[in-house]
Amino acid sequence: MEEEKKIRQSINYVELETICGITSSLPENELPEFAFAGKSNVGKSSLINALMFRKSYARTSSQPGKTQTINFYNIERELYFVDLPGYGYAKVSQEIRAKWGAMIERYLKGSKQLKKIFLLVDIRHEPTANDKEMYQWIVYQGYEPVIIATKLDKINRSQKDRQLKLIRTALDAGEKIKIIPFSALTKQGREEIWAYIDAQR
């Protein structure tokens, strides 16, 4: 228990160990994997950086929608964070979207160590059509995602419960689906996410 508490307070070892492109072979990892999915600009890199207790280790692309890789971050030599390509960027061609979809599907079906998928949505807005499609697709693949409602600091505290209910309703997510509000600015939600990860692995 003491070790679990320690890992949530700081992370000593982080390495971007594997970068997989559209034609790359997926790694056969032996450690648990936790994947992060979300549309471009939802704050995925900011969340991953916060969970790694780093400021800019996971970098956002200067051109949203251009990141076409699955990135595997080794955390404390105990587990992997798997950063999936962002979706929903309007300027990306249908061909590239199809390739991304095939790559992500290959990962979801091929990984033997994937424990949980975190789907990020913006707490300020109703989930987009792309968000809803991604949620249903993850469920179709046999996974029960955890929803991370990002940008918590951008709304008033009084709005939080209403927005979380809006997200759950729009995604048609049952009551057993976990939704965790998160702020990259204040780090609110980080400890809860880490507690969940620790319990799953």
Side-chain angles (χ1 to χ4, degrees):
M1 180 63 72
E2 185 63 31
E3 183 177 352
E4 289 183 0
K5 184 176 180 181
K6 181 179 179 182
I7 199 171
R8 292 197 298 272
Q9 293 175 338
S10 65
I11 300 295
N12 296 315
Y13 177 84
V14 171
E15 181 182 358
L16 176 53
E17 191 171 284
T18 309
I19 300 175
C20 291
I22 290 171
T23 60
S24 302
S25 298
L26 292 168
E28 295 184 6
N29 294 321
E30 296 182 356
L31 299 175
E33 296 173 356
F34 294 86
F36 297 83
K39 65 184 179 183
S40 300
N41 297 331
V42 75
K44 187 154 52 67
S45 294
S46 297
L47 169 64
I48 292 173
N49 282 324
L51 292 174
M52 295 192 299
F53 293 81
R54 302 293 192 273
K55 289 186 177 180
S56 58
Y57 195 96
R59 286 184 168 82
T60 55
S61 172
S62 59
Q63 293 179 290
K66 293 298 183 183
T67 302
Q68 300 180 29
T69 57
I70 299 177
N71 299 330
F72 292 78
Y73 296 92
N74 188 318
I75 310 297
E76 298 284 53
R77 300 181 178 88
E78 294 179 3
L79 56 90
Y80 288 96
F81 287 166
V82 183
D83 185 6
L84 302 176
Y87 59 82
Y89 189 62
K91 293 184 180 180
V92 173
S93 70
Q94 191 64 40
E95 180 183 2
I96 291 179
R97 291 182 198 174
K99 289 181 178 179
W100 284 355
M103 178 169 60
I104 295 173
E105 183 174 6
R106 182 161 57 94
Y107 168 67
L108 296 186
K109 289 183 175 179
S111 173
K112 297 178 182 179
Q113 298 296 334
L114 180 57
K115 302 299 181 183
K116 185 60 65 172
I117 302 173
F118 294 96
L119 176 61
L120 282 64
V121 298
D122 190 328
I123 197 171
R124 298 173 297 176
H125 311 295
E126 180 177 345
T128 65
N130 283 318
D131 291 327
K132 297 173 185 177
E133 184 178 350
M134 189 66 180
Y135 174 82
Q136 294 298 333
W137 190 66
I138 291 171
V139 171
Y140 177 77
Q141 297 297 328
Y143 293 95
E144 185 179 281
V146 171
I147 310 301
I148 305 295
T150 63
K151 305 182 188 292
L152 178 61
D153 53 280
K154 302 292 186 181
I155 64 172
N156 295 327
R157 186 177 301 178
S158 61
Q159 296 176 292
K160 185 181 75 170
D161 289 344
R162 183 184 66 190
Q163 292 304 111
L164 293 177
K165 183 177 180 180
L166 175 65
I167 290 169
R168 187 180 297 279
T169 300
L171 293 177
D172 195 22
E175 289 300 320
K176 67 177 182 176
I177 296 296
K178 192 172 187 65
I179 302 180
I180 302 176
F182 172 78
S183 166
L185 180 65
T186 68
K187 306 303 185 288
Q188 184 175 342
R190 176 169 64 183
E191 184 173 344
E192 184 177 356
I193 296 168
W194 258 121
Y196 184 85
I197 291 173
D198 285 335
Q200 295 297 308
R201 65 188 181 91

